Each structure stands twice: as C-alpha cells, then as structure tokens.
Amino acid sequence: VFRTRPTVSIEPQTAPALGPAQSVNVPANQAWTDTGIIVARGERIQFNSSGDIMVQEGASSGVGGSPVAPNGRLPFAGAGVGALIARIGNSQPFLIGSNSSPIPMPANGRLMLGVNDPNPQDNTGSFSVSISRLGR
C-alpha cells in the first residue's frame, strides 16, 4: 500500500492594508505637499505612484526621476531630477520613486511628499500617489 501526501501550494502573502488607501495629488511646482498623514517610526507605508511632470523646458520626468542635470543642489542627491521623494516633518528626504514595496518610516511625524528639484516653481504637472498603511 502506497500512501501519498497531498501537494500543498504556498502562495506568498502580502500584509493587509490598515484602512483604505489615501490618494494624494503632488503638484510638481511646489517643494512639499502635506499628505495630512501622521506616521510612526518603523511603520510600513506603501506608495503606488504615477504621472509625468515637466522639470524644465523639454525635459519630462516620471516618478523615478530624469537624468537631466539639476539647476542647483537636489533635495535628495541619490535620485534624478523630478523623482518622487518624501520626508517626515522637517527630516531628511528619502526616495519613493517608482518603488511600490513597503517602506519603513524613519521617524515619527507628518508625512510630506515632494518632487526632487531645487527649483520646482517652474515645473508643470503632478504625480498621483496612493498611500497604504501596512502597520509594523
């Protein structure tokens, strides 16, 4: 008598969102946009972002940034001009870009989103960002 074991398939699980996702419009022509969301250090936040902006005449950027040379010092030196960035309160900026994996928050405070550009006033367009809280 042969006994067989049932085949078990294990699917990867993603953490459920805590509450509905919030959508935020991030205008390209302002340095920072207040999301109205208070985060806790270590809390995991997921960003799903889209959109295209003009960072200077003839140069567009998606949420991942553009390779054009900046006209000044970028708020976040590790990413291209126009990339989607964030900060908590007045803390150091960090990159969101096209990353849709959960990001642990580096500090407690109010979540701000921005465009990686030293002079955003001449930019046009906006990014659409869906923000989901995933807990710790």
Side-chain angles (χ1 to χ4, degrees):
V1 175
F2 293 98
R3 293 183 188 194
T4 60
R5 293 185 178 162
T7 303
V8 177
S9 176
I10 299 174
E11 298 290 325
Q13 298 289 317
T14 57
L18 299 175
Q22 291 181 255
S23 293
V24 177
N25 184 58
V26 180
N29 64 351
Q30 65 185 53
W32 295 103
T33 299
D34 185 348
T35 66
I37 299 171
I38 305 294
V39 298
R41 181 183 181 104
E43 180 179 11
R44 294 175 313 123
I45 304 292
Q46 184 174 29
F47 301 90
N48 289 300
S49 312
S50 63
D52 288 304
I53 61 172
M54 293 297 290
V55 291
Q56 57 184 279
E57 190 173 327
S60 66
S61 172
V63 294
S66 170
V68 300
N71 186 14
R73 186 170 169 246
L74 291 170
F76 183 80
V81 175
L84 179 64
I85 58 175
R87 72 179 187 193
I88 310 302
N90 290 320
S91 68
Q92 291 295 316
F94 57 95
L95 178 64
I96 296 173
S98 57
N99 179 15
S100 62
S101 297
I103 299 172
M105 295 295 98
N108 295 324
R110 201 162 183 105
L111 177 64
M112 309 290 283
L113 298 179
V115 173
N116 198 33
D117 190 336
N119 302 300
Q121 299 80 8
D122 62 349
N123 295 347
T124 59
S126 64
F127 293 137
S128 178
V129 184
S130 175
I131 302 169
S132 300
R133 302 175 85 112
L134 302 178
R136 291 187 180 255

